[in-house]
Amino acid sequence: MNTKIIRVEENDIDEALIKEAGDVIKSGGLVAFPTETVYGLGGDALNPESSKKIYAAKGRPSDNPLIVHIADMESLAKVVKKIPKEAYVLAEAFWPGPLTMIFEKSDAVPFETTGGLSTVAVRMPSDKIANAFIKAAGGYVAAPSANLSGKPSPTEDKYVIEDMDGRINMILCGGRSLVGLESTIVDLTEETPVILRPGYITEDMLSKALGVKVLWDRAIKEPAADVAPKAPGMKYRHYAPNAPLTIVEGDADKVADAINRLGDKDITEGKKVAVIAAAENTAKYDKRFLIKSAGSFYNEDEAARLLFAILRELDDEDAEVIYSEAFKETGVGCATMNRLMKAAGHHVLTV
Ligand code: TXA
Ligand code: MG
């Protein structure tokens, strides 16, 4: 398939191009588009054939449900059975933005879009290009992250092109994603809202807005427990670089000593060693290592924004062993550590 690659300026959106992209969706095609979290791979959420095409383009198991993206609050009623009162509160506080809510689905949403589930995930992105595109597409765009299954979610258009060129009809390029990690998912079908995936909107933010303490899906906090995560996508080994990744946590100087020692041994064995470190610490590492700065230790937003690009770069640069410092877990840092832990297969060394 010939993929049309188009650059869109967020502050000067070309309406004709957006209409063209919207028409592709309306006629059953696929368009990748920027959002504030990561790029999405969009199809018509109400068309079962479009959802099937999304799974095929991503190489994704079809029991992994897609998120339905909307552009205004009026659209919500069509895709859900009923809107619980918590949804109005959370929408008022966090929409448009990096929050996905799970509802009972309406009959308008085909099971192909929800991976066979009777619930549906809905998100209203804040990105201006995404908003204009969803409207032009008829209002309901099903989209997973626009990566090939098993790769990190794309946070820059070049990675979308790398993964999707030739597999879909069109790619809208809009530069770098602001947040850099996928949306927070909160399930509103239970008595008390439950976080199924951490993201930029934190547990504290949700609890404060709702006036109740939200819960966590047990499978997220205790990944060793024999419980399946409620978000089917969280069970797959995601975001994993080709090389084994070990998180080393503890006092910064001890961490650097440990990584320098371990990495020295790896180099003796002829391996290419990479380190992910806070900007403040990069100078502590052996100069023979490939060192990736995740931004200042004090800026958790920056680490979130950079992590997926760093993981892709490490693959591109053929790292053979990777060590990472642990990130600060305040704010979005909790979500960043969740993704880093998955990339590491929960392999943590405490020093
Ligand atoms: O930020 C985001 O959410 C990005 C952008 C493109 O909006 N999208 C994204 O989609 O991350 P995806 O497909 O990569 O992740 C969606 C997650 C999966 O883990 C999936 O299992 C879960 O949402 N999910 C979708 N519908 C669900 C449902 N009805 N019940 C539980 N989990 C659901
Ligand atoms: Mg994904």
Side-chain angles (χ1 to χ4, degrees):
M1 184 185 298
N2 186 22
T3 303
K4 192 161 179 182
I5 299 172
I6 294 176
R7 180 146 304 279
V8 186
E9 295 304 328
E10 174 148 24
N11 293 316
D12 183 20
I13 295 175
D14 184 330
E15 291 304 328
L17 286 180
I18 293 294
K19 184 178 178 306
E20 189 183 337
D23 287 343
V24 171
I25 298 291
K26 284 177 176 168
S27 60
L30 303 184
V31 178
F33 62 102
T35 86
E36 70 279 18
T37 57
V38 300
Y39 276 75
L41 168 55
D44 180 354
L46 308 184
N47 178 350
E49 296 310 316
S50 297
S51 294
K52 284 188 197 159
K53 285 187 198 166
I54 291 176
Y55 291 113
K58 252 185 96 81
R60 172 181 194 153
S62 59
D63 67 342
N64 191 0
L66 309 174
I67 295 175
V68 176
H69 295 70
I70 58 175
D72 50 46
M73 203 55 192
E74 292 69 55
S75 304
L76 183 59
K78 182 171 177 135
V79 290
V80 308
K81 202 173 241 165
K82 75 172 206 303
I83 305 178
K85 60 179 190 313
E86 292 89 350
Y88 290 104
V89 177
L90 295 180
E92 180 66 30
F94 306 116
W95 274 3
L99 178 70
T100 295
M101 298 188 238
I102 310 281
F103 302 89
E104 298 297 335
K105 81 171 191 72
S106 75
D107 292 338
V109 184
F111 284 107
E112 283 78 359
T113 299
T114 65
L117 297 177
S118 60
T119 54
V120 62
V122 187
R123 178 162 106 81
M124 190 194 297
S126 61
D127 184 280
K128 283 190 216 153
I129 300 169
N131 184 275
F133 163 65
I134 295 162
K135 282 185 179 145
Y140 305 93
V141 175
S145 47
N147 52 288
L148 283 174
S149 196
K151 288 245 213 166
S153 296
T155 51
E156 295 180 37
D157 41 54
K158 67 176 180 191
Y159 297 131
V160 181
I161 296 170
E162 201 171 287
D163 283 10
M164 290 298 153
D165 192 12
R167 305 177 75 92
I168 61 178
N169 302 89
M170 194 183 279
I171 298 173
L172 301 178
C173 299
R176 282 194 183 195
S177 307
L178 211 60
V179 175
L181 297 179
E182 309 87 344
S183 60
T184 304
I185 303 181
V186 61
D187 183 0
L188 299 184
T189 66
E190 305 279 349
E191 182 79 15
T192 306
V194 186
I195 297 174
L196 305 188
R197 179 173 74 183
Y200 188 80
I201 307 297
T202 63
E203 170 187 7
D204 263 9
M205 290 159 80
L206 294 169
S207 296
K208 271 202 191 98
L210 290 169
V212 296
K213 197 164 165 38
V214 297
L215 304 175
W216 282 90
D217 184 11
R218 251 187 74 205
I220 309 274
K221 291 273 171 167
E222 306 164 51
D226 55 348
V227 276
K230 194 161 176 200
M234 296 297 276
K235 77 175 178 242
Y236 295 105
R237 183 166 177 265
H238 260 175
Y239 325 116
N242 295 328
L245 163 59
T246 304
I247 301 170
V248 185
E249 65 171 17
D251 169 76
D253 288 329
K254 280 193 187 153
V255 167
D257 283 348
I259 291 178
N260 282 332
R261 211 165 354 93
L262 290 165
D264 179 63
K265 189 161 162 283
D266 296 323
I267 284 189
T268 317
E269 291 168 9
K271 291 182 184 149
K272 185 163 180 182
V273 178
V275 178
I276 306 172
E280 289 81 358
N281 297 332
T282 50
K284 296 177 181 164
Y285 292 97
D286 191 321
K287 299 289 171 287
R288 294 170 300 168
F289 301 165
L290 174 61
I291 300 166
K292 297 285 178 188
S293 168
S296 170
F297 181 75
Y298 300 99
N299 185 348
E300 59 261 26
D301 289 3
E302 207 177 349
R305 204 158 35 229
L306 294 174
L307 178 65
F308 285 157
I310 289 175
L311 293 180
R312 283 192 180 245
E313 286 168 14
L314 291 174
D315 279 348
D316 292 345
E317 292 164 44
D318 300 315
E320 291 172 295
V321 188
I322 308 169
Y323 299 100
S324 179
E325 296 176 356
F327 299 115
K328 209 162 127 222
E329 291 203 47
T330 48
V332 71
C334 170
T336 312
M337 275 308 285
N338 167 267
R339 307 311 195 270
L340 186 66
M341 286 288 269
K342 292 183 85 166
H346 297 272
H347 190 211
V348 182
L349 185 69
T350 305
V351 294

